[in-house]
Amino acid sequence: MMKKHPLIRAYETFVQNRSCNKIGIIGQPDAGKSALINRLCNVNAYTSVQTDATLATTAYRYNAYGYLIDFPGVGTEEVTVQKYKKIIQNEPIQHYLYVFSSKIKAVDIEMIKFLTKHNKHITFVYNKADTLVDVSGNENRLLLMRDKNTELQVTLKHYVKTPVSYIFTSTLDGTGIETLTTLINDLLLAEEKAYRQKYNDPAYVNSYLNYKVNSAFPKLFTPSFKNIVLKQHYKVIERTVMTHFKIQEDDIMERRKEWLDIETFIKEFEALKAKEKSSGLTHLMEFTKIVQLIKSSFKMKSINPVTMAVSSIVEMGLTNTFPIFQAIAKYVDEIKEIAREVIEDDQKQYMNTH
């Protein structure tokens, strides 16, 4: 399998962070959530005879696209309800499996109300179905399952709009594992299709590249920037930009057939300026033009950091500084467009193979 370009891996992560490739596993303490994950993911999530062994969220890879996220048990002393709600708010998860192994408690209702309020999709799982035994011997397991479903429906009818029922599971005898696996597969397959649509959407490519341009500003205009300009060490800026966009030397030569460098761009802009009739700008006029250029080129919302960065150069008394900033802006734009071509080529390759 061919190794992915670092830029493609970064763009995939950008899109995945704005997609749903995770399913949360939450529910009652000692409901067997970790054992269920072990069975579904073929991993070794930590299990214990204690009330709840999971004290923080842990991600387990389910398939090539998705993850199951193991949450702490609801209502333990270690993780309060308020803390639990904050954990959920910090996780970009849309689908949850709420796992029970006993009667529905007040804390469960509170969490379910919280999830539905935030438009989360919930699948109810009753784990350890092998323990559903009528001690009197008068009812079989199917009748006990029916009673559990009735309890669920009656208890949650005011909080969950759609009809609900349990998927009954057991990691010991395999009850419901195939049904649950099919459900998870279907959820992640739908999300993977949505992810791929986003990945191929030009709007997402633009959003990613604009984000990279904007986040390049603090990496370039550091306290050492004025010394770099003063000593004309433009290669430092070029390396910083290439590393930031994850563009390699081969990408530039393959797509532009020549090396790109800031010094050459400076000479081009100086030559253009020399041809202009009104080449003489006052310091204030040049300062204003530079600020406008950088603010626009780096998609800056606030003018303050731009003003500070430009001031550090202008205050050194360098003449003809506008072409320097023009050249830097052009170099960033060229690298951005090469990054766009790398992503678009990967999109085309995917379309040709699917």
Side-chain angles (χ1 to χ4, degrees), residues 285-297:
M285 290 169 63
E286 186 166 40
F287 179 84
T288 303
K289 284 187 69 175
I290 293 172
V291 169
Q292 291 173 344
L293 170 70
I294 298 302
K295 184 175 183 294
S296 173
S297 298

Side-chain angles (χ1 to χ4, degrees), residues 207-221 244-245 294-295 297-302 332 336:
S207 178
Y208 173 75
L209 293 176
N210 287 338
Y211 156 72
K212 294 301 291 184
V213 168
N214 182 258
S215 57
F217 179 87
K219 293 188 176 183
L220 291 178
F221 297 97
H244 181 65
F245 279 89
I294 298 302
K295 184 175 183 294
S297 298
F298 288 88
K299 318 294 182 186
M300 302 294 293
K301 293 181 180 179
S302 172
V332 171
K336 181 190 78 171

Side-chain angles (χ1 to χ4, degrees), residues 229-230 232 234 266 270 273 279 281-283 286 290 313-325:
V229 173
L230 188 64
Q232 299 184 1
Y234 300 120
I266 291 174
E270 285 177 341
K273 187 175 181 180
S279 59
L281 293 175
T282 66
H283 282 298
E286 186 166 40
I290 293 172
I313 301 299
V314 174
E315 287 172 359
M316 289 192 303
L318 292 176
T319 59
N320 209 22
T321 53
F322 188 50
I324 295 174
F325 284 95

Side-chain angles (χ1 to χ4, degrees), residues 98-113:
Y98 202 108
V99 184
F100 293 86
S101 64
S102 62
K103 288 185 176 182
I104 302 170
K105 299 177 176 64
V107 68
D108 297 316
I109 295 173
E110 184 175 352
M111 287 309 307
I112 291 166
K113 287 168 62 178

Side-chain angles (χ1 to χ4, degrees), residues 126-177:
Y126 194 96
N127 197 29
K128 303 184 180 180
D130 54 281
T131 64
L132 284 175
V133 178
D134 177 24
V135 292
S136 68
N138 294 325
E139 293 188 73
N140 61 32
R141 187 189 292 186
L142 289 177
L143 290 175
L144 292 171
M145 288 179 176
R146 184 195 63 188
D147 292 341
K148 286 294 179 183
N149 271 329
T150 300
E151 176 200 15
L152 180 72
Q153 292 159 8
V154 171
T155 306
L156 300 183
K157 66 180 180 180
H158 297 298
Y159 315 115
V160 182
K161 295 179 181 178
T162 55
V164 295
S165 61
Y166 284 119
I167 294 178
F168 290 92
T169 59
S170 169
T171 58
L172 292 181
D173 62 21
T175 298
I177 298 300

Side-chain angles (χ1 to χ4, degrees), residues 58-126:
T58 307
Y60 296 95
R61 181 172 285 281
Y62 177 78
N63 58 20
Y65 175 74
Y67 295 83
L68 299 186
I69 310 300
D70 192 10
F71 278 72
V74 174
T76 63
E77 292 182 3
E78 292 82 1
V79 185
T80 64
V81 171
Q82 290 305 316
K83 185 176 181 181
Y84 208 103
K85 290 178 178 178
K86 287 183 179 179
I87 294 174
I88 289 175
Q89 288 178 321
N90 292 332
E91 288 282 356
I93 297 175
Q94 189 61 33
H95 303 283
Y96 286 89
L97 305 184
Y98 202 108
V99 184
F100 293 86
S101 64
S102 62
K103 288 185 176 182
I104 302 170
K105 299 177 176 64
V107 68
D108 297 316
I109 295 173
E110 184 175 352
M111 287 309 307
I112 291 166
K113 287 168 62 178
F114 178 80
L115 290 169
T116 54
K117 179 182 177 181
H118 289 81
N119 298 315
K120 304 298 183 182
H121 178 272
I122 311 172
T123 298
F124 297 98
V125 178
Y126 194 96

Side-chain angles (χ1 to χ4, degrees), residues 332-350:
V332 171
D333 189 64
E334 287 282 356
I335 296 300
K336 181 190 78 171
E337 290 308 311
I338 291 173
R340 184 190 305 278
E341 292 170 19
V342 172
I343 294 172
E344 288 176 346
D345 283 352
D346 186 75
Q347 291 172 333
K348 292 174 184 175
Q349 185 178 357
Y350 177 84

Side-chain angles (χ1 to χ4, degrees), residues 2 16 53 99 136 148 164 171 182-183 218 227 273 308 331:
M2 190 170 64
Q16 284 175 355
V99 184
S136 68
K148 286 294 179 183
V164 295
T171 58
T182 300
L183 172 78
N227 291 327
K273 187 175 181 180
M308 292 176 62
Y331 186 82

